[in-house]
Amino acid sequence: MRLAALICCASFLFAPVRLSAEPIIITHGFGETRIQDTPQRIVSVGYHEQDFLYALGIAPVGVHEWFGARSYATWSWAEDARAALGAKPDVQRGFEIDLEWVWQQKPDLIVATFAPLDQRTYDRLSQIAPVVGPPLGYEAWTAPWQAEMQLIAQATGRQDQGDAVTAKVEQELADLAAAYPQLSGTEVAVAYVSGTELIGYSSGDGSNRLMAALGMKIPAEYDGLAAGSGNFSVSLERLDLFEKDVALWLSDEAGRALIEGLPAYRASALSKNVRSVWADAEEIGAMSFQTPLSISWVAGRLMPRLAKAVGNHGGNQGNSPKAPSSD
């Protein structure tokens, strides 16, 4: 059956049951959405929104896998929360949103705060069910996780729970920063190895927001290099851009071998003073996801290693200017 025909009859076949008298009205990057009843069947079409739902105690009926091929598109940091809810969502694979798959889930709310969404796709999704688009006022993929949590919690009628989750995570990060004062003001370079290219990130990227929340400094030149796109790509010859107080490498084993085999790297202070921290596959996933469930988990794993690397060259650079806040 063609998708157009499916959408035309969706409102008749799967009309939601009215559970509340007052509608919820939210504003997001694609406009305003009215949610008449408390959602019962929620589908996440973005790449990490399942974590937000699990953190709120909500079991989605469908989720969109980003990468990693984990069961139910759920990584280790979120597995306990998923299992506690008994959630066994159907999983859509592939980069683009599969509209027919969404319709088949019979949703009464579609969450798309971190999704490959354009106006046409948003309009078509809205014919199926109310849609929560990305937070208003941010470029694509750059909204802070707190803004996503606020929208999702409001749309699902769980604002108090959302505020509590946000406060808990922010306190956990503050406690970690206090536990490693030697990292305060330390200039950190987060780099992803992609083939023979090195990718760095602006201060507005989620990984660098996390580093800033933990008291570290983002290289000032990165915002200019990213030029508003969120990240920048350079050849291996520009390894010098990542030679900071400490470097956090997001790389598989092949990428690590490539970097460590470069004469320029072997001659650098990063190598000589052991100032590199290499994330494993699960940590790379968590740094990409940047959700209420992944953030504290990955920060707790990385902070001791970052502190050790900083200690390898005589402490932090606390007198250097602080980077602007990325929040």
Side-chain angles (χ1 to χ4, degrees):
M1 183 182 295
R2 295 179 61 85
L3 176 62
L6 294 174
I7 291 176
C8 286
C9 65
S11 60
F12 296 101
L13 292 177
F14 307 116
V17 177
R18 181 166 299 186
L19 299 175
S20 59
E22 295 297 324
I24 296 171
I25 300 174
I26 60 169
T27 302
H28 51 77
F30 284 88
E32 185 177 278
T33 294
R34 174 184 289 261
I35 303 163
Q36 185 61 50
D37 305 297
T38 302
Q40 302 298 301
R41 295 184 58 83
I42 299 175
V43 168
S44 166
V45 298
Y47 295 139
H48 69 186
E49 289 90 318
Q50 63 267 37
D51 280 15
F52 291 80
L53 294 168
Y54 294 147
L56 289 168
I58 297 171
V61 298
V63 299
H64 189 177
E65 183 184 62
W66 189 1
F67 64 98
R70 270 39 178 195
S71 297
Y72 304 113
T74 301
W75 289 61
S76 59
W77 58 80
E79 179 56 24
D80 286 348
R82 181 202 66 79
L85 292 167
K88 296 182 179 181
D90 196 51
V91 179
Q92 187 230 303
R93 308 186 192 280
F95 181 78
E96 301 296 337
I97 298 169
D98 184 335
L99 292 165
E100 187 161 336
W101 173 84
V102 175
W103 184 86
Q104 290 170 348
Q105 305 312 307
K106 308 175 187 177
D108 51 23
L109 183 69
I110 299 168
V111 178
T113 54
F114 192 76
L117 199 63
D118 56 21
Q119 188 65 55
R120 179 174 180 270
T121 305
Y122 172 79
D123 290 342
R124 297 187 75 186
L125 285 171
S126 296
Q127 292 179 284
I128 302 173
V131 180
V132 185
L136 183 64
Y138 300 95
E139 296 295 327
W141 317 110
T142 67
W145 67 268
Q146 294 95 328
E148 282 191 75
M149 174 54 82
Q150 184 178 34
L151 261 185
I152 295 170
Q154 183 183 359
T156 56
R158 302 199 180 198
Q159 190 68 58
D160 289 346
Q161 293 96 318
D163 291 344
V165 170
T166 297
K168 178 178 180 289
V169 174
E170 290 179 340
Q171 186 60 56
E172 289 170 346
L173 297 182
D175 290 345
L176 272 171
Y180 295 94
Q182 66 268 47
L183 289 175
S184 178
T186 294
E187 194 169 40
V188 59
V190 178
Y192 179 74
V193 183
S194 176
T196 58
E197 291 187 324
L198 301 175
I199 298 174
Y201 303 93
S202 72
S203 60
D205 174 78
S207 59
N208 278 335
R209 278 199 176 101
L210 175 56
M211 295 294 101
L214 293 166
M216 286 171 274
K217 176 185 174 182
I218 312 307
E221 66 267 31
Y222 284 8
D223 281 344
L225 289 167
S229 67
N231 61 65
F232 61 92
S233 174
V234 295
S235 66
L236 297 175
E237 286 74 20
R238 292 311 315 271
L239 182 72
D240 60 292
L241 290 170
F242 304 95
E243 192 169 351
K244 306 301 179 183
D245 293 335
V246 63
L248 173 59
W249 297 96
L250 310 179
S251 171
D252 60 17
E253 289 299 321
R256 177 173 182 172
L258 175 66
I259 297 301
E260 291 184 326
L262 294 172
Y265 180 80
R266 293 198 300 268
S268 72
L270 288 176
S271 176
K272 291 180 177 180
N273 296 326
V274 197
R275 287 160 42 187
S276 285
V277 173
W278 300 88
D280 65 24
E282 207 75 6
E283 292 161 353
I284 292 169
M287 289 294 287
S288 299
F289 263 62
Q290 293 294 315
T291 69
L293 297 181
S294 73
I295 289 170
S296 295
W297 180 90
V298 73
R301 289 170 62 109
L302 293 177
M303 287 290 274
R305 285 143 60 195
L306 290 166
K308 181 179 179 181
V310 167
N312 287 334
H313 65 109
N316 67 63
Q317 304 297 314
N319 293 326
S320 56
K322 292 282 186 181
S325 170
S326 59
D327 292 331

